[in-house]
Amino acid sequence: MQQLIADVSVPITNIEAGFDILEREGFVILTNAIDNVLADNFVKFVDRSWPSISTIKCPKPGQIKYGACHDSSIHEIRRSPLIVNAFRQIYKLKRGISPEEKLIIAPDGINVQNPFEKYTAPSKWAHIDEITNNPGRILQGLVTISEHSGGFLCSPRSHTLFDKIAKIIPPKNEWLRIEGNGASAEQINQIKTLVLENGGAWQIQINPPPNSLLIWYNTLIHSSTPTNIHATLRKNLCPRQSLNEKIHWRLVVYVSMRPAKEVNEFSNIRHEAMRNNVSTGHSGEKAWKESCEIHNMNFDPTYIEYLIKN
């Protein structure tokens, strides 16, 4: 496992090498994507907001789609020059976009898992998502803030198999759920065999180092697993100490970008998401319907208005 991480990691300043890994594996870890100031600001947001965040109903452990997605610390991570440049340069290498072409930054969700709470592991949910437009040509991503035990699962080298997978399990909407959606064991095994024959693996855990940007193609099969620390650690550490030291908690900011011309009415979608305090999916094509009062999460409404205008 450690060897795999080494093979798929490069500094964010080495985009060409990162692109080669992305093309081969379907994902890449770009290290040193943000500095400790940005990371610490996000930790401070979680620290002061945890009583509210912890009450949010999440579809998967820690997966927050509303109520806590628009703090300034989150947007400053997404707008970080190194991160924006990474997406722009990869799109240039993959699709030949010009330096002047505008990218949208989806107001996506976050994932916050407190290891001192016991999460119920979700049923297996390996999936491919945001596939209605440009399968295999849209980048999705997340920034890791902490050392943690739970996290991102994926099937390396599955990203080139979308057409074959879609013949086995035809997509019903904007995402294709492979596990846990009524697919037969035979269908799932067929897909696993395709991945293994392509030189890949099935749903292995990827834990990037803190302050890294993990980027993957939208046709990569992926899912997640909850954080889980040993009972001894849970007994000897306090949640706040663990959070401030950025260990054991899963702290993730989802960051996804794409050419603006591919998303109709994005400005209106972003306005809806921010004013209703909800997020969008990775593609930025729609805002979720849940809502939560912004002031309950200690947000500065003037900052939200600034982001909407800029």
Side-chain angles (χ1 to χ4, degrees):
M1 183 62 187
Q2 292 301 319
Q3 184 62 41
L4 174 63
I5 292 295
D7 288 345
V8 297
S9 301
V10 293
I12 197 168
T13 52
N14 194 354
I15 294 297
E16 289 192 2
F19 178 69
D20 290 342
I21 295 170
L22 178 65
E23 285 284 280
R24 183 184 75 233
E25 304 293 343
F27 72 99
V28 63
I29 298 168
L30 301 175
T31 59
N32 302 314
I34 62 171
D35 59 29
N36 286 330
V37 173
L38 290 176
D40 289 344
N41 285 341
F42 181 72
V43 169
K44 291 174 184 176
F45 159 67
V46 174
D47 189 9
R48 72 173 185 266
S49 304
W50 181 249
S52 297
I53 294 176
S54 62
T55 65
I56 295 173
K57 294 180 180 180
C58 303
K60 299 289 184 297
Q63 186 185 74
I64 297 171
K65 294 184 176 182
Y66 68 98
C69 303
H70 299 297
D71 184 74
S72 60
S73 64
I74 298 168
H75 286 288
E76 293 308 319
I77 287 172
R78 293 188 180 126
R79 294 152 65 97
S80 172
L82 281 176
I83 290 177
V84 174
N85 181 67
F87 276 90
R88 180 171 294 283
Q89 291 302 317
I90 292 174
Y91 274 123
K92 179 181 177 181
L93 290 168
K94 180 69 174 179
R95 298 169 57 176
I97 71 167
S98 70
E100 296 78 26
E101 186 160 345
K102 183 178 179 182
L103 297 181
I104 64 162
I105 303 176
D108 206 341
I110 61 176
N111 193 293
V112 178
Q113 294 180 32
N114 178 352
F116 298 87
E117 296 190 4
K118 293 184 179 180
Y119 293 99
T120 301
S123 57
K124 293 180 180 180
W125 63 301
H127 66 281
I128 300 169
D129 53 12
E130 315 288 1
I131 54 176
T132 51
N133 297 303
N134 290 314
R137 288 163 54 83
I138 295 175
L139 302 175
Q140 302 174 343
L142 59 82
V143 173
T144 56
I145 311 297
S146 58
E147 296 276 5
H148 56 86
S149 59
F152 187 80
L153 302 178
C154 74
S155 297
R157 306 190 180 185
S158 61
H159 63 299
T160 61
L161 302 171
F162 175 72
D163 289 342
K164 293 179 180 179
I165 292 170
K167 289 180 180 178
I168 298 172
I169 304 177
K172 295 180 180 180
N173 45 39
E174 69 269 18
W175 72 314
L176 190 162
R177 185 162 178 177
I178 296 168
E179 294 177 319
N181 196 34
S184 68
E186 180 182 357
Q187 288 173 310
I188 295 171
N189 285 333
Q190 283 181 298
I191 294 171
K192 288 182 179 180
T193 299
L194 285 176
V195 173
L196 296 177
E197 289 178 346
N198 204 38
W202 188 255
Q203 294 299 279
I204 60 174
Q205 187 167 322
I206 308 295
N207 280 351
N211 298 2
S212 297
L213 171 63
L214 171 64
I215 288 182
W216 67 93
Y217 283 129
N218 65 327
T219 49
L220 182 76
I221 300 173
H222 63 284
S223 60
S224 65
T225 184
T227 190
N228 181 30
I229 64 173
H230 193 275
T232 302
L233 285 175
R234 188 177 285 115
K235 181 179 179 180
N236 294 335
L237 283 174
C238 75
R240 196 162 198 174
Q241 175 193 354
S242 180
L243 173 61
N244 290 332
E245 293 178 0
K246 291 180 286 190
I247 54 174
H248 305 308
W249 285 65
R250 188 182 188 213
L251 304 172
V252 163
V253 174
Y254 290 98
V255 182
S256 298
M257 303 181 199
R258 62 189 295 193
K261 64 185 180 183
E262 295 179 357
V263 183
N264 295 326
E265 303 294 331
F266 176 70
S267 179
N268 292 336
I269 294 169
R270 185 176 66 161
H271 292 190
E272 178 186 353
M274 290 183 173
R275 290 193 170 121
N276 292 329
N277 200 12
V278 299
S279 67
T280 67
H282 304 314
S283 70
E285 293 180 354
K286 66 178 181 180
W288 303 112
K289 297 302 182 184
E290 299 94 340
S291 64
C292 175
E293 290 295 328
I294 287 178
H295 62 77
N296 287 345
M297 292 304 301
N298 300 318
F299 294 143
D300 180 356
T302 60
Y303 182 76
I304 298 299
E305 293 303 315
Y306 163 78
L307 286 173
I308 287 173
K309 293 175 182 177
N310 293 277

